[in-house]
């Protein structure tokens, strides 16, 4: 069975593979944005956008709010787009 990801998804990687840098860990995403992503996920069953990671290092470059939501709902496979 092929899992459906949001538009722009290039791959799915396990949550544990994603590397989050201090820059993100020290920031606080907007609670309203988190709520919107959670609601979208509940409504559609997938994130609104893929998380952007570096293809080689798996370092998160964009999508920290979606990363937090994925962690909250204990998603195992995360839709990603690779940094261009």
């Amino acid at each position: 069975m092929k899992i459906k990801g949001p538009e722009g998804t290039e791959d799915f990687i396990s949550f544990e593979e994603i590397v989050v840098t201090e820059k993100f860990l020290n920031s606080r995403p907007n609670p309203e944005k988190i709520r919107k992503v959670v609601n979208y996920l509940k409504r559609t069953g997938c994130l609104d956008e893929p998380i952007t990671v570096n293809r080689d290092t798996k370092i998160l470059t964009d999508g920290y709010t979606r990363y937090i939501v994925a962690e909250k709902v204990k998603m195992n496979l995360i839709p990603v787009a690779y940094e261009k």
Side-chain angles (χ1 to χ4, degrees), residues 26-74:
N26 293 332
S27 70
R28 288 274 145 255
N30 179 330
E32 177 61 22
K33 272 176 78 177
I34 290 175
R35 198 178 58 72
K36 280 183 175 164
V37 177
V38 167
N39 289 340
Y40 185 90
L41 179 64
K42 284 180 179 168
R43 212 171 52 248
T44 65
C46 70
L47 292 174
D48 56 343
E49 286 180 53
I51 288 171
T52 307
V53 296
N54 177 288
R55 185 182 298 272
D56 302 318
T57 61
K58 305 291 187 271
I59 290 176
L60 177 77
T61 55
D62 189 35
Y64 186 53
T65 299
R66 294 184 299 281
Y67 173 87
I68 287 176
V69 169
E71 184 176 42
K72 232 181 205 190
V73 301
K74 299 187 177 11

